Amino acid sequence: MQYPNEPVFPHYSKPEPPQVLPAHGVSWQRWFWRGWGWIILANTALTMNLGGMEGLLFFGVLGLLVGVVLGFWVSVFSTIGLYQREFECQPAFWFAVHYAAWAAIVVLIFYLLTSAWNIWSFDNDHFRILSVELPMAFFMLASGLVGWHMHGWLNRQQPAAAEAPPPPES
């Protein structure tokens, strides 16, 4: 007699799909979402410090928008570029440089796409520096800091099996 919860073919086991993980054991999706979230937070915090108490709301919203829109692309390109990549010397530094370089490239692309807009040409140079150029510089700095943080986070997420001693040979 067959019970309802018994498998129809008792000797057949359901195959498990293989996990696609990088060498460090962290999926690229997790790495991407964590990196993008940190870029948004870091850029919002740095840009909010720019305005002081008077422009807290304006610069906070500006930092949030820059982090959300441009930080997405930095996270995408950095994740693709750093996926399963090993650096021999000073890997945290190279992670930071990689994130900051992609941020600079994304800012340059953003500038080229929006160069005809009025945001880049103000009569008041002081306002242009405060509202456009300084937040973009903070975005590159925040991206570099996130790269530094992501390297440390990636090292903490290594599987415990990597630390286990190899099995004895027989």
Side-chain angles (χ1 to χ4, degrees), residues 24-107:
H24 295 310
V26 178
S27 67
W28 66 268
Q29 296 97 336
R30 197 164 159 210
W31 186 356
F32 164 76
W33 288 113
R34 185 162 180 108
W36 190 29
W38 277 109
I39 287 176
I40 292 169
L41 288 175
N43 192 58
T44 304
L46 280 175
T47 310
M48 282 178 74
N49 286 331
L50 167 72
M53 292 309 286
E54 312 85 45
L56 193 64
L57 182 64
F58 173 74
F59 287 109
V61 169
L62 184 64
L64 182 66
L65 287 174
V66 169
V68 167
V69 175
L70 299 183
F72 173 80
W73 294 108
V74 171
S75 295
V76 167
F77 294 137
S78 297
T79 300
I80 290 170
L82 293 172
Y83 183 70
Q84 289 188 340
R85 191 167 191 182
E86 295 288 331
F87 293 102
E88 296 290 325
C89 179
Q90 300 295 329
F93 170 76
W94 289 111
F95 263 63
V97 167
H98 200 277
Y99 271 79
W102 275 113
I105 291 169
V106 166
V107 165

Side-chain angles (χ1 to χ4, degrees), residues 97-126:
V97 167
H98 200 277
Y99 271 79
W102 275 113
I105 291 169
V106 166
V107 165
L108 180 67
I109 292 170
F110 178 75
Y111 172 73
L112 292 175
L113 290 175
T114 62
S115 60
W117 296 1
N118 288 336
I119 62 169
W120 300 105
S121 58
F122 289 112
D123 293 333
N124 188 348
D125 286 339
H126 180 70

